Amino acid sequence: ADNLWLNLSDGYIGGGRKNWDGSGGSNGALDHFTQTGELYPLVVKLGTITADIDTADCFSYAKDEDCPVKIPNLKELLEKRGIKAASLQKTAKSTAELEVELNATYAFDAITE
């Protein structure tokens, strides 16, 4: 499976957000955040974690952020879950890469008059 996100507080793994066009994930990670009282907002996209820890795709669901974030202690949080970033290779596109790809292939002329 792809587009999976790890909650850095409780270890839950859920699907990414659904896109406006219905593509994308199952919304599992965001639903989990909501269902757990919005207590654990930090997630990282599995498949984007590598030895270059700063390139991992991290996101905060917190209402005052709701955006990509940099997590200074990401390496330590991953190690608590038994994930050794130094041994991992990138296997998934980041949300930024997916957005660029979607914009490049979208038929904008179909919405103009």
Side-chain angles (χ1 to χ4, degrees):
D2 56 350
N3 195 15
L4 295 176
W5 293 75
L6 169 69
N7 185 294
L8 292 166
S9 296
D10 64 11
Y12 180 85
I13 297 173
R17 289 186 181 192
K18 288 183 182 175
N19 295 326
W20 59 270
D21 65 354
S23 65
S26 65
N27 235 40
L30 179 58
D31 291 345
H32 175 73
F33 168 69
T34 303
Q35 293 164 358
T36 55
E38 300 184 354
L39 297 176
Y40 311 115
L42 297 178
V43 295
V44 61
K45 186 175 183 182
L46 298 176
T48 66
I49 303 165
T50 67
D52 185 2
I53 201 75
D54 291 332
T55 63
D57 203 353
C58 300
F59 198 90
S60 173
Y61 293 130
K63 290 192 185 319
D64 63 337
E65 291 179 313
D66 196 29
C67 64
V69 293
K70 292 290 182 191
I71 302 172
N73 62 333
L74 179 59
K75 182 179 176 193
E76 291 79 18
L77 292 171
L78 291 170
E79 286 177 353
K80 283 184 180 180
R81 303 259 167 239
I83 299 171
K84 304 287 186 202
S87 64
L88 299 177
Q89 294 181 341
K90 186 173 177 175
T91 60
K93 293 180 182 176
S94 69
T95 51
E97 291 168 324
L98 290 170
E99 187 175 317
V100 167
E101 186 176 276
L102 186 61
N103 286 340
T105 59
Y106 186 75
F108 286 102
D109 58 340
I111 59 173
T112 59
E113 295 182 331

